[in-house]
Amino acid sequence: MVGRPRSPCEALLPRFYAGRDIFITGATGFMGKVLIERLLSTCPDVGKLHLLLRQKKGVAPEKRLQQLKSSQVFDLIRQNNPRQLDKLCMIPGDVSQPGLAIDAEHLKNLQDVSIVFHSAATLKFDEALPNAVDQNVLSVTRLMDICDTLPNLQALVHVSTAYSNSELNCVEEKVYTPPADLGRLLALVEAVPKPLLANITPEYIKPKPNTYTFTKAMAEEAVRCRTQKYPVAIFRPTIVISSLRHPFPGWIENLNGPSGVIAAAGKGLLHVFVRRPDARADLLPVDIAIDTLLAVAWETAVDRLPSVRVYNCSTNSNPTTWRQFEMALKKHLLNYPLDACLWYPCGSGVQNRYAHKALEFLLQTIPLHIAEYIIRGLGIKMKLSLITAEQKMRAMNEVLAFFALREWKFNTDNVDRLRARLTPADAAIYNLDPNTINWDEQYFNFIRGTRKYLLKEKDENLDEARKHMNRMYFLHKGVIFFILMLVFRLVLQNKSVREVVYGTLRLLLSLSFAAYKNVTESV
């Protein structure tokens, strides 16, 4: 008798999440939205998803929940099983407030929660230390205080970053010795005046390069030193970019890092960025990151280890480089241009920081400031100031340089063992394998996704975008020719240079005439 083959419904992860209530912080962020989408689309019987939402820019949590439900990321769910979105429940609160600002009534709604994902954080590298501590460190302790009161909790997964120990070249899957004493850090930010604290911060956080990585490392220590009443894991993704397959190939919804480079270069604003061409670019598709995160929570709950387990999620086994990223930009932006580019897309990377600063000033700062003043003088209104855009690109380049001039080796043994532990039925649903990435295809979808999902540009406008880009090409070449002729003209103002140039031209003409005469006489 032939046994009935296993169906995808019999996979371990969907069965594990069936009937479970889940609490999520950072639900409206890029990774948070994909986490929700993957839970609802791959786990049809999952219980309620409780989302911590704060009031933001005058928009109430209730309104933000409705906005989240209408997000493009849930298009397939609305099409195939719209009732799944009814499982999203709003918990008014704020990770920067004591007790997460959750009132008693909503706290009761969390009593059936068995899995918690904590991904809320500030991603600003230059965040003031008190703010970074508040949002990245204290938020963890506040959340764990809440978790201590949840009777059915089986796993807490804290989303950190693979760069929390960026001063190391090789990063293991463990919590490293913290850069400062946690208690003293909290006392410092509480007692020291902010102006003084800002002055001493660079020295205090050494060897960490910025407050983001410093507070992420301190948050891991806060998790590690907590008395464990429930299993806890730390999940460390690298640079998260557009999706490989889910919810759509190339889906992206933030301008951080590489997607910002694509948007700025495609619009003709970014002409130079800093990178080491042969350095590994540890770019991680968001759906691989989230599928791994879901599996991490499952393993954490099943194994119930007494200590914290760390998972480094990286594409080291299938690397790409910043040169490949740059070449993909030049190739695919010309075939799939962005609408109404302000200049011909011609961005290039350089390795030397000083050369980058000089080129950035000549090719971006000066032209964009001149263009802004001309636009103002003509009374033309634009949605975004070109000067503001230039300042944002400068800040983006500083952040990108941190990753693009260095490379790291991330040990991924725990993730590799987790991937091997899943059944074939799980592997058919959840992709934890970086070796499935075709980088040229990924970059193509990344650029298409930036155009379609991030900038909301329609495919039917592609022909007009290509025509406009061709016009920008001739304008670009015309300006280069004009500048070369102007420089040539200025150079000829010098008598010595003029004599050398004219002498060279006379010599070339003489040689050409002599060669022509020899050819005609031989005939």
Side-chain angles (χ1 to χ4, degrees):
M1 180 177 178
V2 179
R4 182 173 61 88
R6 294 174 61 96
S7 71
C9 295
E10 296 175 47
L12 297 174
L13 267 63
R15 186 165 64 239
F16 169 77
Y17 283 105
R20 292 185 182 274
D21 281 12
I22 299 171
F23 183 38
I24 303 173
T25 72
T28 58
F30 175 47
M31 291 182 65
K33 287 181 179 178
V34 179
L35 172 59
I36 295 170
E37 195 279 336
R38 293 297 285 158
L39 279 168
L40 295 180
S41 62
T42 67
C43 305
D45 298 321
V46 68
K48 296 178 180 179
L49 305 187
H50 300 275
L51 315 178
L52 186 73
L53 300 175
R54 63 183 174 92
Q55 181 169 308
K56 186 176 181 180
K57 297 180 179 179
V59 181
E62 294 83 0
K63 178 67 173 178
R64 293 189 67 203
L65 178 62
Q66 295 307 314
Q67 292 173 344
L68 176 63
K69 288 182 177 182
S70 63
S71 174
Q72 198 172 28
V73 72
F74 302 124
D75 281 355
L76 290 179
I77 293 177
R78 277 191 293 270
Q79 178 182 334
N80 300 324
N81 193 3
R83 290 187 177 180
Q84 284 290 85
L85 292 172
D86 295 337
K87 296 179 178 180
L88 303 186
C89 303
M90 178 268 302
I91 301 292
D94 189 337
V95 294
S96 66
Q97 299 299 318
L100 304 184
I102 301 176
D103 59 36
E105 179 182 351
H106 286 94
L107 195 58
K108 289 180 181 178
N109 296 338
L110 299 178
Q111 295 306 296
D112 291 331
V113 164
S114 58
I115 305 293
V116 174
F117 294 102
H118 177 52
S119 65
T122 176
L123 303 179
K124 295 179 181 178
F125 276 42
D126 59 349
E127 186 73 81
L129 186 59
N131 294 340
V133 168
D134 194 40
Q135 296 185 55
N136 290 349
V137 182
L138 288 175
S139 65
V140 178
T141 60
R142 292 165 184 148
L143 176 64
M144 296 185 82
D145 288 341
I146 297 292
C147 289
D148 288 346
T149 69
L150 305 182
N152 298 302
L153 186 60
Q154 294 187 22
L156 163 64
V157 183
H158 168 62
V159 179
S160 184
T161 172
Y163 303 96
S164 57
N165 300 283
S166 56
E167 70 276 12
L168 304 174
N169 293 324
C170 182
V171 180
E172 302 292 333
E173 291 177 303
K174 68 177 185 178
V175 178
Y176 285 85
T177 302
D181 179 80
L182 183 58
R184 291 179 181 177
L185 170 64
L186 299 180
L188 180 76
V189 297
E190 182 71 27
V192 177
K194 290 185 178 180
L196 176 58
L197 189 57
N199 290 333
I200 67 173
T201 291
E203 188 66 28
Y204 181 75
I205 67 176
K206 283 183 178 180
K208 306 297 181 184
N210 49 61
T211 57
Y212 172 71
T213 55
F214 175 80
T215 52
K216 278 296 191 178
M218 295 305 303
E220 292 187 4
E221 172 63 10
V223 171
R224 185 200 64 79
C225 68
R226 183 78 169 228
T227 301
Q228 304 298 330
K229 297 182 178 180
Y230 37 82
V232 180
I234 294 174
F235 177 69
R236 293 180 181 153
T238 53
I239 306 170
V240 182
I241 62 168
S242 64
S243 61
L244 181 68
R245 299 191 187 105
H246 305 290
F248 317 100
W251 189 81
I252 182 75
E253 204 183 57
N254 69 43
L255 278 168
N256 296 331
S259 56
V261 173
I262 293 173
K267 289 296 184 180
L269 296 173
L270 181 72
H271 299 297
V272 60
F273 57 95
V274 65
R275 90 286 180 265
R276 202 180 92 200
D278 60 337
R280 285 193 304 271
D282 210 316
L283 308 179
L284 179 66
V286 64
D287 48 339
I288 291 183
I290 295 303
D291 284 359
T292 306
L293 179 62
L294 291 173
V296 164
W298 164 77
E299 185 172 62
T300 302
V302 169
D303 289 354
R304 300 193 63 82
L305 295 179
S307 60
V308 177
R309 182 185 280 165
V310 179
Y311 298 82
N312 290 338
C313 194
S314 162
T315 55
N316 272 338
S317 62
N318 180 19
T320 183
T321 66
W322 291 108
R323 187 196 304 276
Q324 290 175 301
F325 174 72
E326 180 183 346
M327 292 301 101
L329 276 183
K330 294 178 178 178
K331 174 184 176 182
H332 296 308
L333 276 176
L334 299 184
N335 296 325
Y336 220 84
L338 306 185
D339 290 350
C341 58
L342 299 177
W343 199 255
Y344 182 71
C346 55
S348 295
V350 296
Q351 182 171 346
N352 185 278
R353 295 292 294 265
Y354 297 105
H356 168 254
K357 285 296 182 185
L359 291 171
E360 186 179 56
F361 183 73
L362 290 172
L363 300 179
Q364 290 173 197
T365 303
I366 292 177
L368 289 177
H369 277 71
I370 292 174
E372 174 72 16
Y373 293 132
I374 292 174
I375 289 170
R376 289 180 184 179
L378 296 174
I380 301 174
K381 294 183 179 180
M382 295 188 65
K383 293 181 179 179
L384 177 66
S385 163
L386 295 180
I387 294 177
T388 301
E390 189 275 328
Q391 292 169 344
K392 289 185 176 181
M393 286 190 297
R394 222 177 327 130
M396 178 185 69
N397 257 323
E398 284 298 318
V399 172
L400 182 66
F402 174 76
F403 301 101
L405 291 175
R406 304 171 179 84
E407 64 178 17
W408 293 263
K409 175 70 174 84
F410 298 105
N411 182 293
T412 58
D413 287 348
N414 287 338
V415 171
D416 295 341
R417 282 191 289 266
L418 171 60
R419 182 171 63 247
R421 188 175 179 179
L422 298 180
T423 67
D426 285 299
I429 304 172
Y430 304 97
N431 182 10
L432 280 63
D433 188 1
N435 293 302
T436 59
I437 305 170
N438 177 310
W439 283 110
D440 188 62
E441 181 182 339
Q442 176 66 23
Y443 285 137
F444 173 66
N445 287 329
F446 194 1
I447 290 168
R448 286 190 62 187
T450 300
R451 187 183 196 280
K452 182 176 182 180
Y453 303 116
L454 183 58
L455 301 178
K456 311 297 183 185
E457 297 178 357
K458 298 179 180 179
D459 286 348
E460 48 261 40
N461 297 332
L462 259 177
D463 287 341
E464 178 55 36
R466 293 188 178 109
K467 292 176 183 177
H468 179 73
M469 187 186 65
N470 288 336
R471 292 192 290 267
M472 289 294 103
Y473 171 79
F474 289 112
L475 177 61
H476 173 68
K477 293 299 183 182
V479 169
I480 291 177
F481 180 76
F482 173 77
I483 292 175
L484 290 176
M485 295 307 298
L486 181 62
V487 171
F488 185 67
R489 176 70 176 172
L490 292 173
V491 168
L492 290 181
Q493 299 298 315
N494 185 289
K495 184 179 179 180
S496 299
V497 173
R498 186 166 64 247
E499 289 177 353
V500 172
V501 171
Y502 287 163
T504 303
L505 289 175
R506 283 194 295 269
L507 176 61
L508 291 174
L509 287 172
S510 298
L511 292 173
S512 300
F513 178 75
Y516 175 74
K517 185 177 180 180
N518 289 334
V519 171
T520 54
E521 287 178 353
S522 63
V523 174

mmCIF file of all heavy atoms in Angstrom, residues 474-506:
data_model
loop_
_atom_site.group_PDB
_atom_site.id
_atom_site.type_symbol
_atom_site.label_atom_id
_atom_site.label_comp_id
_atom_site.label_asym_id
_atom_site.label_seq_id
_atom_site.Cartn_x
_atom_site.Cartn_y
_atom_site.Cartn_z
ATOM 1 N N PHE A 474 20.934 63.131 -24.182
ATOM 2 C CA PHE A 474 21.513 64.120 -25.090
ATOM 3 C C PHE A 474 21.840 65.420 -24.347
ATOM 4 O O PHE A 474 22.855 66.064 -24.635
ATOM 5 C CB PHE A 474 20.557 64.386 -26.258
ATOM 6 C CG PHE A 474 20.457 63.237 -27.215
ATOM 7 C CD1 PHE A 474 19.282 62.503 -27.316
ATOM 8 C CD2 PHE A 474 21.539 62.868 -27.988
ATOM 9 C CE1 PHE A 474 19.195 61.423 -28.196
ATOM 10 C CE2 PHE A 474 21.461 61.787 -28.877
ATOM 11 C CZ PHE A 474 20.289 61.066 -28.975
ATOM 12 N N LEU A 475 20.996 65.791 -23.390
ATOM 13 C CA LEU A 475 21.303 66.972 -22.589
ATOM 14 C C LEU A 475 22.573 66.744 -21.771
ATOM 15 O O LEU A 475 23.441 67.630 -21.678
ATOM 16 C CB LEU A 475 20.128 67.292 -21.661
ATOM 17 C CG LEU A 475 20.324 68.471 -20.702
ATOM 18 C CD1 LEU A 475 20.551 69.765 -21.485
ATOM 19 C CD2 LEU A 475 19.111 68.614 -19.779
ATOM 20 N N HIS A 476 22.689 65.547 -21.193
ATOM 21 C CA HIS A 476 23.867 65.189 -20.397
ATOM 22 C C HIS A 476 25.140 65.268 -21.244
ATOM 23 O O HIS A 476 26.141 65.890 -20.832
ATOM 24 C CB HIS A 476 23.673 63.773 -19.849
ATOM 25 C CG HIS A 476 24.857 63.188 -19.157
ATOM 26 N ND1 HIS A 476 25.326 63.657 -17.954
ATOM 27 C CD2 HIS A 476 25.684 62.152 -19.508
ATOM 28 C CE1 HIS A 476 26.381 62.949 -17.577
ATOM 29 N NE2 HIS A 476 26.613 62.040 -18.501
ATOM 30 N N LYS A 477 25.108 64.674 -22.434
ATOM 31 C CA LYS A 477 26.277 64.692 -23.308
ATOM 32 C C LYS A 477 26.571 66.112 -23.788
ATOM 33 O O LYS A 477 27.745 66.507 -23.928
ATOM 34 C CB LYS A 477 26.056 63.765 -24.504
ATOM 35 C CG LYS A 477 25.984 62.284 -24.138
ATOM 36 C CD LYS A 477 27.291 61.813 -23.495
ATOM 37 C CE LYS A 477 27.265 60.317 -23.202
ATOM 38 N NZ LYS A 477 28.499 59.853 -22.536
ATOM 39 N N GLY A 478 25.511 66.876 -24.052
ATOM 40 C CA GLY A 478 25.704 68.252 -24.489
ATOM 41 C C GLY A 478 26.393 69.105 -23.441
ATOM 42 O O GLY A 478 27.279 69.899 -23.746
ATOM 43 N N VAL A 479 25.981 68.927 -22.196
ATOM 44 C CA VAL A 479 26.596 69.688 -21.097
ATOM 45 C C VAL A 479 28.061 69.289 -20.923
ATOM 46 O O VAL A 479 28.931 70.150 -20.714
ATOM 47 C CB VAL A 479 25.810 69.468 -19.793
ATOM 48 C CG1 VAL A 479 26.582 70.018 -18.602
ATOM 49 C CG2 VAL A 479 24.448 70.127 -19.882
ATOM 50 N N ILE A 480 28.344 67.996 -21.037
ATOM 51 C CA ILE A 480 29.736 67.534 -20.919
ATOM 52 C C ILE A 480 30.589 68.147 -22.031
ATOM 53 O O ILE A 480 31.710 68.636 -21.789
ATOM 54 C CB ILE A 480 29.802 65.993 -20.966
ATOM 55 C CG1 ILE A 480 29.183 65.395 -19.712
ATOM 56 C CG2 ILE A 480 31.251 65.517 -21.128
ATOM 57 C CD1 ILE A 480 29.139 63.874 -19.711
ATOM 58 N N PHE A 481 30.047 68.150 -23.257
ATOM 59 C CA PHE A 481 30.788 68.733 -24.387
ATOM 60 C C PHE A 481 31.025 70.223 -24.168
ATOM 61 O O PHE A 481 32.132 70.732 -24.408
ATOM 62 C CB PHE A 481 30.004 68.508 -25.683
ATOM 63 C CG PHE A 481 30.670 69.078 -26.902
ATOM 64 C CD1 PHE A 481 31.761 68.445 -27.483
ATOM 65 C CD2 PHE A 481 30.207 70.265 -27.469
ATOM 66 C CE1 PHE A 481 32.386 68.977 -28.604
ATOM 67 C CE2 PHE A 481 30.827 70.809 -28.588
ATOM 68 C CZ PHE A 481 31.918 70.157 -29.157
ATOM 69 N N PHE A 482 30.004 70.923 -23.693
ATOM 70 C CA PHE A 482 30.140 72.356 -23.432
ATOM 71 C C PHE A 482 31.211 72.628 -22.376
ATOM 72 O O PHE A 482 32.048 73.530 -22.531
ATOM 73 C CB PHE A 482 28.793 72.926 -22.983
ATOM 74 C CG PHE A 482 28.859 74.353 -22.537
ATOM 75 C CD1 PHE A 482 28.935 75.390 -23.462
ATOM 76 C CD2 PHE A 482 28.862 74.677 -21.176
ATOM 77 C CE1 PHE A 482 29.007 76.715 -23.045
ATOM 78 C CE2 PHE A 482 28.935 75.989 -20.757
ATOM 79 C CZ PHE A 482 29.011 77.011 -21.697
ATOM 80 N N ILE A 483 31.196 71.837 -21.316
ATOM 81 C CA ILE A 483 32.178 72.030 -20.243
ATOM 82 C C ILE A 483 33.593 71.753 -20.745
ATOM 83 O O ILE A 483 34.541 72.499 -20.441
ATOM 84 C CB ILE A 483 31.840 71.128 -19.040
ATOM 85 C CG1 ILE A 483 30.538 71.603 -18.376
ATOM 86 C CG2 ILE A 483 32.976 71.134 -18.017
ATOM 87 C CD1 ILE A 483 30.053 70.706 -17.265
ATOM 88 N N LEU A 484 33.754 70.694 -21.559
ATOM 89 C CA LEU A 484 35.075 70.375 -22.098
ATOM 90 C C LEU A 484 35.588 71.492 -22.998
ATOM 91 O O LEU A 484 36.767 71.875 -22.934
ATOM 92 C CB LEU A 484 35.024 69.050 -22.867
ATOM 93 C CG LEU A 484 34.830 67.786 -22.027
ATOM 94 C CD1 LEU A 484 34.692 66.561 -22.922
ATOM 95 C CD2 LEU A 484 36.003 67.593 -21.062
ATOM 96 N N MET A 485 34.689 72.029 -23.835
ATOM 97 C CA MET A 485 35.095 73.118 -24.720
ATOM 98 C C MET A 485 35.429 74.379 -23.922
ATOM 99 O O MET A 485 36.371 75.112 -24.265
ATOM 100 C CB MET A 485 33.989 73.409 -25.732
ATOM 101 C CG MET A 485 33.717 72.277 -26.712
ATOM 102 S SD MET A 485 35.204 71.693 -27.569
ATOM 103 C CE MET A 485 35.687 73.176 -28.451
ATOM 104 N N LEU A 486 34.678 74.620 -22.863
ATOM 105 C CA LEU A 486 34.947 75.788 -22.025
ATOM 106 C C LEU A 486 36.303 75.649 -21.339
ATOM 107 O O LEU A 486 37.096 76.607 -21.301
ATOM 108 C CB LEU A 486 33.841 75.936 -20.978
ATOM 109 C CG LEU A 486 33.957 77.140 -20.024
ATOM 110 C CD1 LEU A 486 33.902 78.447 -20.809
ATOM 111 C CD2 LEU A 486 32.858 77.097 -18.980
ATOM 112 N N VAL A 487 36.576 74.446 -20.809
ATOM 113 C CA VAL A 487 37.869 74.207 -20.170
ATOM 114 C C VAL A 487 38.993 74.342 -21.184
ATOM 115 O O VAL A 487 40.048 74.956 -20.915
ATOM 116 C CB VAL A 487 37.893 72.808 -19.511
ATOM 117 C CG1 VAL A 487 39.300 72.455 -19.046
ATOM 118 C CG2 VAL A 487 36.916 72.755 -18.357
ATOM 119 N N PHE A 488 38.762 73.793 -22.365
ATOM 120 C CA PHE A 488 39.760 73.887 -23.433
ATOM 121 C C PHE A 488 40.034 75.339 -23.797
ATOM 122 O O PHE A 488 41.187 75.755 -23.982
ATOM 123 C CB PHE A 488 39.267 73.107 -24.646
ATOM 124 C CG PHE A 488 40.257 73.023 -25.766
ATOM 125 C CD1 PHE A 488 41.436 72.302 -25.620
ATOM 126 C CD2 PHE A 488 40.014 73.656 -26.978
ATOM 127 C CE1 PHE A 488 42.353 72.219 -26.657
ATOM 128 C CE2 PHE A 488 40.932 73.581 -28.015
ATOM 129 C CZ PHE A 488 42.103 72.847 -27.860
ATOM 130 N N ARG A 489 38.972 76.121 -23.877
ATOM 131 C CA ARG A 489 39.112 77.539 -24.205
ATOM 132 C C ARG A 489 39.900 78.286 -23.116
ATOM 133 O O ARG A 489 40.773 79.115 -23.429
ATOM 134 C CB ARG A 489 37.717 78.149 -24.347
ATOM 135 C CG ARG A 489 37.682 79.641 -24.588
ATOM 136 C CD ARG A 489 38.189 79.998 -25.948
ATOM 137 N NE ARG A 489 38.051 81.419 -26.200
ATOM 138 C CZ ARG A 489 38.555 82.041 -27.265
ATOM 139 N NH1 ARG A 489 39.230 81.326 -28.166
ATOM 140 N NH2 ARG A 489 38.384 83.328 -27.438
ATOM 141 N N LEU A 490 39.594 77.977 -21.870
ATOM 142 C CA LEU A 490 40.297 78.625 -20.767
ATOM 143 C C LEU A 490 41.767 78.227 -20.733
ATOM 144 O O LEU A 490 42.652 79.055 -20.459
ATOM 145 C CB LEU A 490 39.628 78.261 -19.436
ATOM 146 C CG LEU A 490 38.224 78.831 -19.207
ATOM 147 C CD1 LEU A 490 37.618 78.267 -17.936
ATOM 148 C CD2 LEU A 490 38.265 80.361 -19.142
ATOM 149 N N VAL A 491 42.020 76.961 -21.040
ATOM 150 C CA VAL A 491 43.412 76.488 -21.045
ATOM 151 C C VAL A 491 44.219 77.201 -22.118
ATOM 152 O O VAL A 491 45.393 77.559 -21.924
ATOM 153 C CB VAL A 491 43.449 74.960 -21.253
ATOM 154 C CG1 VAL A 491 44.876 74.493 -21.562
ATOM 155 C CG2 VAL A 491 42.930 74.240 -20.016
ATOM 156 N N LEU A 492 43.598 77.460 -23.264
ATOM 157 C CA LEU A 492 44.301 78.111 -24.370
ATOM 158 C C LEU A 492 44.613 79.570 -24.091
ATOM 159 O O LEU A 492 45.343 80.209 -24.867
ATOM 160 C CB LEU A 492 43.481 77.989 -25.657
ATOM 161 C CG LEU A 492 43.385 76.592 -26.261
ATOM 162 C CD1 LEU A 492 42.572 76.619 -27.544
ATOM 163 C CD2 LEU A 492 44.761 76.011 -26.524
ATOM 164 N N GLN A 493 44.067 80.123 -23.026
ATOM 165 C CA GLN A 493 44.396 81.495 -22.662
ATOM 166 C C GLN A 493 45.860 81.619 -22.246
ATOM 167 O O GLN A 493 46.451 82.705 -22.329
ATOM 168 C CB GLN A 493 43.496 81.978 -21.523
ATOM 169 C CG GLN A 493 42.010 82.001 -21.847
ATOM 170 C CD GLN A 493 41.683 82.967 -22.990
ATOM 171 O OE1 GLN A 493 42.169 84.093 -23.021
ATOM 172 N NE2 GLN A 493 40.858 82.500 -23.918
ATOM 173 N N ASN A 494 46.440 80.529 -21.823
ATOM 174 C CA ASN A 494 47.856 80.513 -21.441
ATOM 175 C C ASN A 494 48.708 80.369 -22.706
ATOM 176 O O ASN A 494 48.537 79.428 -23.479
ATOM 177 C CB ASN A 494 48.120 79.348 -20.481
ATOM 178 C CG ASN A 494 49.532 79.335 -19.959
ATOM 179 O OD1 ASN A 494 50.464 79.034 -20.690
ATOM 180 N ND2 ASN A 494 49.688 79.654 -18.679
ATOM 181 N N LYS A 495 49.666 81.322 -22.926
ATOM 182 C CA LYS A 495 50.450 81.352 -24.153
ATOM 183 C C LYS A 495 51.263 80.084 -24.342
ATOM 184 O O LYS A 495 51.326 79.517 -25.446
ATOM 185 C CB LYS A 495 51.379 82.565 -24.130
ATOM 186 C CG LYS A 495 52.188 82.740 -25.415
ATOM 187 C CD LYS A 495 53.068 83.987 -25.344
ATOM 188 C CE LYS A 495 53.883 84.125 -26.628
ATOM 189 N NZ LYS A 495 54.755 85.334 -26.575
ATOM 190 N N SER A 496 51.896 79.601 -23.283
ATOM 191 C CA SER A 496 52.737 78.404 -23.393
ATOM 192 C C SER A 496 51.908 77.186 -23.770
ATOM 193 O O SER A 496 52.289 76.392 -24.629
ATOM 194 C CB SER A 496 53.472 78.158 -22.067
ATOM 195 O OG SER A 496 54.311 79.244 -21.752
ATOM 196 N N VAL A 497 50.766 77.033 -23.105
ATOM 197 C CA VAL A 497 49.882 75.902 -23.416
ATOM 198 C C VAL A 497 49.389 76.006 -24.849
ATOM 199 O O VAL A 497 49.313 75.011 -25.583
ATOM 200 C CB VAL A 497 48.695 75.859 -22.422
ATOM 201 C CG1 VAL A 497 47.692 74.793 -22.839
ATOM 202 C CG2 VAL A 497 49.196 75.595 -21.009
ATOM 203 N N ARG A 498 49.041 77.241 -25.268
ATOM 204 C CA ARG A 498 48.536 77.455 -26.629
ATOM 205 C C ARG A 498 49.582 77.059 -27.672
ATOM 206 O O ARG A 498 49.260 76.418 -28.672
ATOM 207 C CB ARG A 498 48.125 78.911 -26.794
ATOM 208 C CG ARG A 498 47.440 79.197 -28.143
ATOM 209 C CD ARG A 498 46.742 80.547 -28.153
ATOM 210 N NE ARG A 498 47.707 81.644 -27.991
ATOM 211 C CZ ARG A 498 47.748 82.422 -26.936
ATOM 212 N NH1 ARG A 498 46.907 82.222 -25.922
ATOM 213 N NH2 ARG A 498 48.631 83.417 -26.852
ATOM 214 N N GLU A 499 50.844 77.414 -27.437
ATOM 215 C CA GLU A 499 51.902 77.060 -28.383
ATOM 216 C C GLU A 499 52.086 75.551 -28.460
ATOM 217 O O GLU A 499 52.301 74.992 -29.542
ATOM 218 C CB GLU A 499 53.206 77.736 -27.954
ATOM 219 C CG GLU A 499 53.199 79.247 -28.174
ATOM 220 C CD GLU A 499 54.482 79.906 -27.678
ATOM 221 O OE1 GLU A 499 55.297 79.179 -27.041
ATOM 222 O OE2 GLU A 499 54.659 81.117 -27.919
ATOM 223 N N VAL A 500 52.003 74.867 -27.301
ATOM 224 C CA VAL A 500 52.127 73.408 -27.302
ATOM 225 C C VAL A 500 50.985 72.760 -28.071
ATOM 226 O O VAL A 500 51.195 71.853 -28.887
ATOM 227 C CB VAL A 500 52.171 72.867 -25.856
ATOM 228 C CG1 VAL A 500 52.089 71.345 -25.838
ATOM 229 C CG2 VAL A 500 53.442 73.325 -25.148
ATOM 230 N N VAL A 501 49.758 73.240 -27.833
ATOM 231 C CA VAL A 501 48.592 72.664 -28.505
ATOM 232 C C VAL A 501 48.666 72.893 -30.001
ATOM 233 O O VAL A 501 48.472 71.968 -30.809
ATOM 234 C CB VAL A 501 47.293 73.262 -27.918
ATOM 235 C CG1 VAL A 501 46.092 72.834 -28.745
ATOM 236 C CG2 VAL A 501 47.115 72.826 -26.469
ATOM 237 N N TYR A 502 48.956 74.133 -30.411
ATOM 238 C CA TYR A 502 49.019 74.438 -31.834
ATOM 239 C C TYR A 502 50.173 73.691 -32.502
ATOM 240 O O TYR A 502 50.066 73.227 -33.653
ATOM 241 C CB TYR A 502 49.174 75.939 -32.039
ATOM 242 C CG TYR A 502 47.906 76.722 -31.744
ATOM 243 C CD1 TYR A 502 47.952 78.097 -31.526
ATOM 244 C CD2 TYR A 502 46.668 76.077 -31.690
ATOM 245 C CE1 TYR A 502 46.797 78.817 -31.250
ATOM 246 C CE2 TYR A 502 45.513 76.777 -31.409
ATOM 247 C CZ TYR A 502 45.573 78.145 -31.185
ATOM 248 O OH TYR A 502 44.430 78.851 -30.914
ATOM 249 N N GLY A 503 51.305 73.576 -31.784
ATOM 250 C CA GLY A 503 52.432 72.838 -32.334
ATOM 251 C C GLY A 503 52.094 71.374 -32.546
ATOM 252 O O GLY A 503 52.478 70.774 -33.551
ATOM 253 N N THR A 504 51.375 70.798 -31.581
ATOM 254 C CA THR A 504 50.955 69.401 -31.700
ATOM 255 C C THR A 504 50.017 69.215 -32.882
ATOM 256 O O THR A 504 50.134 68.246 -33.649
ATOM 257 C CB THR A 504 50.263 68.932 -30.401
ATOM 258 O OG1 THR A 504 51.152 69.113 -29.294
ATOM 259 C CG2 THR A 504 49.848 67.478 -30.491
ATOM 260 N N LEU A 505 49.073 70.155 -33.055
ATOM 261 C CA LEU A 505 48.133 70.070 -34.180
ATOM 262 C C LEU A 505 48.867 70.179 -35.511
ATOM 263 O O LEU A 505 48.550 69.450 -36.470
ATOM 264 C CB LEU A 505 47.077 71.165 -34.051
ATOM 265 C CG LEU A 505 46.052 70.994 -32.924
ATOM 266 C CD1 LEU A 505 45.141 72.218 -32.838
ATOM 267 C CD2 LEU A 505 45.211 69.746 -33.147
ATOM 268 N N ARG A 506 49.869 71.104 -35.605
ATOM 269 C CA ARG A 506 50.626 71.239 -36.849
ATOM 270 C C ARG A 506 51.407 69.965 -37.156
ATOM 271 O O ARG A 506 51.484 69.521 -38.315
ATOM 272 C CB ARG A 506 51.586 72.430 -36.729
ATOM 273 C CG ARG A 506 50.898 73.791 -36.883
ATOM 274 C CD ARG A 506 51.921 74.901 -37.103
ATOM 275 N NE ARG A 506 52.785 75.082 -35.937
ATOM 276 C CZ ARG A 506 52.516 75.917 -34.942
ATOM 277 N NH1 ARG A 506 51.399 76.647 -34.974
ATOM 278 N NH2 ARG A 506 53.330 76.034 -33.920
#
